[in-house]
Amino acid sequence: MIYIGSDHRGFKLKEHLKEFLSRQNIDFEDLGNTQFDPEDDYPDFAFKLAEAIAKNLSDNTGIMICGSGLGMVVAANKVKGVRAGLATSDWLARHGRENDDLNVLSLAADMTDEKTSEEIVKTWLEARFSGEERHRRRVEKIIAFEQDHLI
């Protein structure tokens, strides 16, 4: 399942991307915020999305949007098994998926227009982890560290 979530600064872009995903016949679930609330807090949605991903790391992915994209990355990466990264270009989206096996994509609504966001999401969804030895070794080190240090 693809989960999508945003705070108030990412709300408009999230709603646009939901329409984009629907046009592409891509199933997703919106984890909020489901209404514009200028007082909401990005960690609430980042944690909710990351916990949903962590329930089934082999099948679940997520797209999260806030103003900078950075706050949500920080929050989501606190959840064991989640590898979230910010992409402001399709190159970063591809690189993050192929080399770092990102399972959560973060977008910066304040810096990324709708067309660019569509390209980033499309690229990220189509890309796959390369499995090259050096990339696999690095991801395995991250997983091992999580096993020893995160609850």
Side-chain angles (χ1 to χ4, degrees):
M1 173 61 68
I2 299 169
Y3 295 100
I4 190 166
S6 74
D7 69 354
H8 60 281
R9 286 175 58 198
F11 185 78
K12 182 179 175 188
L13 183 57
K14 177 183 63 106
E15 294 302 303
H16 174 80
L17 288 173
K18 286 168 46 178
E19 292 173 11
F20 170 74
L21 293 170
S22 293
R23 286 193 312 269
Q24 304 298 313
N25 294 316
I26 297 172
D27 291 331
F28 63 89
E29 183 176 336
D30 183 352
L31 295 181
N33 201 341
T34 57
Q35 62 186 22
F36 179 79
D37 177 1
E39 299 299 317
D40 65 16
D41 296 319
Y42 69 83
D44 299 331
F45 305 104
F47 292 144
K48 186 174 183 180
L49 186 140
E51 288 177 329
I53 304 305
K55 287 180 182 175
N56 188 340
L57 291 168
S58 60
D59 292 333
N60 295 340
T61 60
I63 301 165
M64 55 190 187
I65 308 117
C66 68
S68 70
L70 295 170
M72 286 191 135
V73 167
V74 171
N77 280 323
K78 301 298 182 193
V79 177
K80 189 174 186 176
V82 170
R83 286 182 303 283
L86 171 66
T88 54
S89 69
D90 58 345
W91 184 89
L92 284 170
R94 182 178 300 104
H95 180 87
R97 186 78 118 165
E98 291 177 353
N99 297 348
D100 304 314
D101 200 19
L102 294 182
N103 51 19
V104 177
L105 172 68
S106 184
L107 297 171
D110 292 352
M111 296 183 61
T112 314
D113 62 43
E114 291 176 348
K115 183 176 182 343
T116 303
S117 295
E118 288 178 8
E119 293 168 2
I120 292 168
V121 167
K122 183 178 186 301
T123 297
W124 186 75
L125 290 173
E126 291 173 353
R128 294 290 173 259
F129 181 55
S130 72
E132 288 181 36
E133 190 277 328
R134 64 189 169 127
H135 300 305
R136 192 176 61 254
R137 180 182 70 242
R138 293 165 186 164
V139 170
E140 287 171 358
K141 286 181 179 185
I142 293 167
I143 293 168
F145 185 89
E146 283 181 333
Q147 297 300 320
D148 292 340
H149 294 87
L150 294 181
I151 300 172

